[in-house]
Amino acid sequence: MAIILPVASGKGGVGKSVFAANCAIALSELGKTTVLVDLDLGASNLHTLLGIKNRYPGIGNLVYRTETNLEALLVDTGIPRLFFIPGDTLLPGTANLDFFTKQKIVKSLMSLPADYILMDLGAGSSYNTVDFFLTSSSGLIVTMGESTAILNAYSFLKTAFYRALIRSFPPKSAERQLITSFFAQKMEGSTNTYPVLRQKLREQYGEGAQNGITQVEKLYTRIILNMGSGPQDLSVGIKLREIAKKNLDLQVEYIGYIPRDPVVSLSVASRKPALLLQKNAPFSQAILAIAARLASQPIPESPRLYPDNEDLRALMDSGA
């Protein structure tokens, strides 16, 4: 069965799609059959980063049932072992999908004969994006060292956490009402944290609450710090991990630091992935290192954190 790697971001402009395209290429170069899927529905443009013309049917055709076989949507990128599934291909109305349509898409993706499925999701915290992100317990979030990007990444994490927890209980259940009321309160800088909610769920609903608690605590998000400009990004980036741990008791791992590199702008303008344009560029080398980490440890068996603030420093020193 293919390993699903959803790629999200709390806001646009952080280089999520550029990362997804180049990471997919890097995995294919490691000998992994990889399918890159444009699930930024309503704003699909991943084909431009690959240099592919927007003339192929895509996910939108599956939604509108003009195509019933997802495998028929696979586009040969010309890169060995890398295939592409376009997004809505200019079909209107695909930005808002019902839950069952999303389930159908994910089920079809998981049946594809591939080692990895990289899902390039829309920016932000819409339920479309969050639901696709939650198809894996270890999705990837791309962010930057700027305060606004870090805050938006945390907002995405919080929404995904809430969505995963509330979906574990029946609609209109007392557990859902408790969870919704709790998250309506301010967490940041208060005592209203997830450990408090977890205790309330256990006290009021006993074993009936344990399944939801177990499911949400499987979440183990991995972070890529993109367009890094140096050590000054460290303190801002570390803040995301600290807030996620304190408020949500959620473990996150930094698995890559990607330096700001002019090759990215050059690659976008030339419609050729940076990894194929300049393999020795700092950006390309960082992507290759991240792909190697993903291939060697695709889904961590147990959460782990680098000690203190040494994680990003080590990644920067390694060029990843």
Side-chain angles (χ1 to χ4, degrees), residues 211-259:
N211 179 59
I213 292 170
T214 300
Q215 289 301 314
V216 80
E217 291 181 355
K218 289 180 181 178
L219 291 177
Y220 183 64
T221 304
R222 292 175 288 182
I223 305 294
I224 293 97
L225 190 63
N226 192 28
M227 292 189 269
S229 55
Q232 63 269 24
D233 291 336
L234 294 178
S235 60
V236 181
I238 290 298
K239 192 69 175 176
L240 172 61
R241 191 178 68 182
E242 293 174 347
I243 294 173
K245 176 62 179 174
K246 179 177 183 288
N247 295 333
L248 304 174
D249 198 23
L250 183 64
Q251 306 280 34
V252 297
E253 178 189 5
Y254 280 97
I255 64 161
Y257 172 91
I258 305 174

Side-chain angles (χ1 to χ4, degrees), residues 276-295:
L276 302 181
L277 197 63
Q278 293 183 24
K279 184 155 289 187
N280 290 328
F283 172 88
S284 301
Q285 290 298 303
I287 292 289
L288 289 169
I290 292 169
R293 288 191 179 96
L294 292 172

Side-chain angles (χ1 to χ4, degrees), residues 197-217:
L197 174 60
R198 179 174 56 200
Q199 185 62 28
K200 286 185 177 181
L201 285 169
R202 284 173 172 161
E203 288 175 353
Q204 295 184 34
Y205 305 106
E207 291 299 320
Q210 189 56 48
N211 179 59
I213 292 170
T214 300
Q215 289 301 314
V216 80
E217 291 181 355

Side-chain angles (χ1 to χ4, degrees), residues 65-292:
R65 300 182 182 179
T66 58
E67 180 59 68
T68 58
N69 183 2
L70 191 65
E71 197 164 345
L73 301 178
L74 290 171
V75 176
D76 189 343
T77 63
I79 300 169
R81 293 176 295 277
L82 178 62
F83 299 89
F84 174 59
I85 296 181
D88 48 32
T89 61
L90 304 181
L91 291 173
T94 54
N96 300 299
L97 303 177
D98 61 77
F99 185 70
F100 294 103
T101 300
K102 285 179 277 192
Q103 281 188 318
K104 176 184 176 182
I105 291 172
V106 172
K107 185 177 180 180
S108 298
L109 287 172
M110 293 180 71
S111 68
L112 292 175
D115 297 310
Y116 288 91
I117 309 291
L118 257 73
M119 300 160 52
D120 180 36
L121 308 180
S125 304
S126 72
Y127 278 168
N128 258 1
T129 297
V130 171
D131 285 341
F132 282 127
F133 185 79
L134 291 174
T135 57
S136 169
S137 62
S138 190
L140 308 174
I141 295 180
V142 180
T143 188
M144 296 169 57
E146 298 175 355
S147 297
T148 53
I150 294 298
L151 288 173
N152 279 281
Y154 169 69
S155 178
F156 181 90
L157 276 172
K158 187 176 178 181
T159 302
F161 189 91
Y162 167 77
R163 184 75 165 159
L165 185 60
I166 204 167
R167 275 189 355 198
S168 301
F169 299 100
K172 299 182 180 180
S173 64
E175 292 93 335
R176 279 199 178 194
Q177 292 177 23
L178 173 61
I179 294 165
T180 300
S181 297
F182 195 90
F183 272 83
Q185 305 172 63
K186 181 177 174 59
M187 278 188 169
E188 297 71 35
S190 74
T191 58
N192 296 317
T193 60
Y194 169 67
V196 174
L197 174 60
R198 179 174 56 200
Q199 185 62 28
K200 286 185 177 181
L201 285 169
R202 284 173 172 161
E203 288 175 353
Q204 295 184 34
Y205 305 106
E207 291 299 320
Q210 189 56 48
N211 179 59
I213 292 170
T214 300
Q215 289 301 314
V216 80
E217 291 181 355
K218 289 180 181 178
L219 291 177
Y220 183 64
T221 304
R222 292 175 288 182
I223 305 294
I224 293 97
L225 190 63
N226 192 28
M227 292 189 269
S229 55
Q232 63 269 24
D233 291 336
L234 294 178
S235 60
V236 181
I238 290 298
K239 192 69 175 176
L240 172 61
R241 191 178 68 182
E242 293 174 347
I243 294 173
K245 176 62 179 174
K246 179 177 183 288
N247 295 333
L248 304 174
D249 198 23
L250 183 64
Q251 306 280 34
V252 297
E253 178 189 5
Y254 280 97
I255 64 161
Y257 172 91
I258 305 174
R260 190 178 294 275
D261 192 333
V263 73
V264 174
S265 296
L266 183 61
S267 73
V268 173
S270 63
R271 295 195 173 193
K272 186 173 183 179
L275 197 60
L276 302 181
L277 197 63
Q278 293 183 24
K279 184 155 289 187
N280 290 328
F283 172 88
S284 301
Q285 290 298 303
I287 292 289
L288 289 169
I290 292 169

